[in-house]
Amino acid sequence: MASGVPRRYLSSTGRVSHILLCRTRIAPTLATRFFTARTLTTTNTTAPAIESEDPPRVLPHVDPRFQYGDVIIIHDRKGDRKLIGPLRKGGFRDNHVGRLNHDSIIGKTPLSTVQTQLGAKFSLHWPSLDEYSTSVKRQASIMYPKDATTAVHLLDLFPGAHVLEAGTGNGSMTMYIQRAILGPGSHLDTVDIRNNHSLQAEQNIERFWRGMYRPGVTFWRSVGGLQRVIKRLTGEDQGQNRYPGSGSGSSSTQEQDTIALNKDEKPMTALELKRKELTEANEVLPSNPHPKGHQYDAISLDLPDTLTVLDDLLPLLKPDRPMCLYMVNMSQVLELVQWMRKNGTGYSVEKVLEVGWKEWSVRSAAVRSKVKGRVHVGGFGDVSPLQQPSSTSSGDGTQEAATTAADNIPDDAVGWVCRPLHMPIGHTGFLVQLRRNSASSPEESNTLIA
């Protein structure tokens, strides 16, 4: 009988009743001992913090053994690959084939096998960048691998380059850019107007391969959008993170008398002022990390309206260097080309691409007329043995797999199926490559840093 628990709260097996336990005040240690579930939270002030359990972070190519805090891939026998993590002490992943404990993964190397409580086996792997970017938690639409890899190609990136990205999203494009430029002296400035999107992207990048692509990235979270970040980079904005009239209690009398205007140049209502104040509280505008006159080797834009910033971005892009724009439909591309023709900007359109991937299935199959009953052939030609494999003991005590009918299929009975998959990856957007075709102005030449 459990010490300290009245008899009426015990079931016939001597365990604490599930319902009664939830309704009674019992010490957290007893609750943890007799009932463990996701919905039950206990307080243990003596338990060490999770961060103290994490060993020093060493990149996976140096130490591939899985550690607490890693995000990994589990691969089942059916071929399904699932992203799990971050791994935590005492954490677990529930599946229809049983519970997989995180503690059983710690210390193992890639291609190792772990089992659930029901005996289901999973192999362990590090996620590729394609898998991670499409499976990780996100709060915005992602740049799919087919578009991200093509955009990196259009940006003509190289190790050590300096890149400006507008539209961080979930950080997928940020990681593809970092993989191409990471090296001595490289730097990436990524801008997003939504604070929660930028925070999620920063967390995603820190969790991929133990933060391999995190160094050299500066996250800008600007309510004023890319225009305000451009002012900070060009030196027009010297570091005030709040707009005049935002309602700060420490503002001067002159700032309090300033009337805040909305986008229609009308005084803001009380609701608009409150929303503006709450949003600006999460704004992150660091000081300019670059010297005066700094220019980027490439610029990547994933914005709903790029026409409003192209002129402002021209001085920030080195002459004869590319810019890549991601646009959802051809109407936006046509609007861009017409606007450039009318305004005569310092850009030229190099390429307009729609990227499509067609994945193929290449597999073996048995020819029904040639197997002669030695194997069972499924509806699509899949081969399975008539008898399940068994193990036999040899004379030296080792286990040898018994020969099955599937091993006896002659070579002339094996056929090959090559066909595209039924669900090819369709349209996601257009990639437009621009190039700055104007030389630096005298002002830019005087301030350009070699």
Side-chain angles (χ1 to χ4, degrees), residues 364-413:
S364 62
V367 180
R368 292 175 181 269
S369 60
K370 297 181 179 181
V371 294
K372 297 180 180 180
R374 285 175 291 178
V375 295
H376 172 71
V377 182
F380 291 96
D382 296 328
V383 178
S384 61
L386 293 178
Q387 296 178 355
Q388 295 295 328
S390 59
S391 298
T392 58
S393 300
S394 59
D396 56 0
T398 59
Q399 297 290 326
E400 297 180 354
T403 302
T404 63
D407 299 322
N408 297 324
I409 299 177
D411 293 340
D412 60 352

Side-chain angles (χ1 to χ4, degrees), residues 6-21:
R7 182 181 299 274
R8 62 179 181 275
Y9 292 152
L10 299 178
S11 63
S12 58
T13 59
R15 293 184 177 272
V16 180
S17 174
H18 174 101
I19 300 177
L20 294 177
L21 177 60

Side-chain angles (χ1 to χ4, degrees), residues 6 27 59 81 89 95 130 181 200 205 224 250 277 348 364 382 384 397 399 442:
L59 295 182
R81 298 173 66 91
K89 187 171 184 179
N95 301 275
D130 292 357
I181 71 173
Q200 184 65 60
I205 296 174
S250 60
E277 180 180 356
S348 61
S364 62
D382 296 328
S384 61
Q399 297 290 326

Side-chain angles (χ1 to χ4, degrees), residues 36 55 77 100 104 112 124 126 131 182 225 246 266 273 312 322 335-337 341 349-350 356 379 438 444 449:
T36 56
R77 298 182 61 183
L100 180 62
S104 63
S112 300
L124 307 177
W126 284 105
E131 287 178 315
L182 191 62
S246 60
K266 296 181 180 179
L273 285 172
D312 297 329
E335 184 181 1
L336 169 67
V337 176
R341 177 182 176 87
V349 179
E350 296 273 317
S438 61
E444 294 178 30
I449 305 299

Side-chain angles (χ1 to χ4, degrees), residues 99-121:
R99 172 172 294 183
L100 180 62
N101 294 316
H102 290 182
D103 293 337
S104 63
I105 301 175
I106 302 304
K108 294 186 178 297
T109 57
L111 299 180
S112 300
T113 302
V114 293
Q115 296 189 40
T116 65
Q117 294 177 341
L118 300 180
K121 295 183 179 181

Side-chain angles (χ1 to χ4, degrees), residues 242-248 251 254-260 273 276:
R242 303 180 66 85
Y243 293 108
S246 60
S248 174
S251 60
Q254 182 179 0
E255 290 180 344
Q256 292 178 357
D257 295 338
T258 303
I259 299 178
L273 285 172
K276 185 169 180 287

Side-chain angles (χ1 to χ4, degrees), residues 60-75:
H61 68 275
V62 178
D63 184 4
R65 294 173 297 178
F66 299 116
Q67 304 174 1
Y68 290 115
D70 291 341
V71 177
I72 68 171
I73 289 286
I74 57 173
H75 187 193

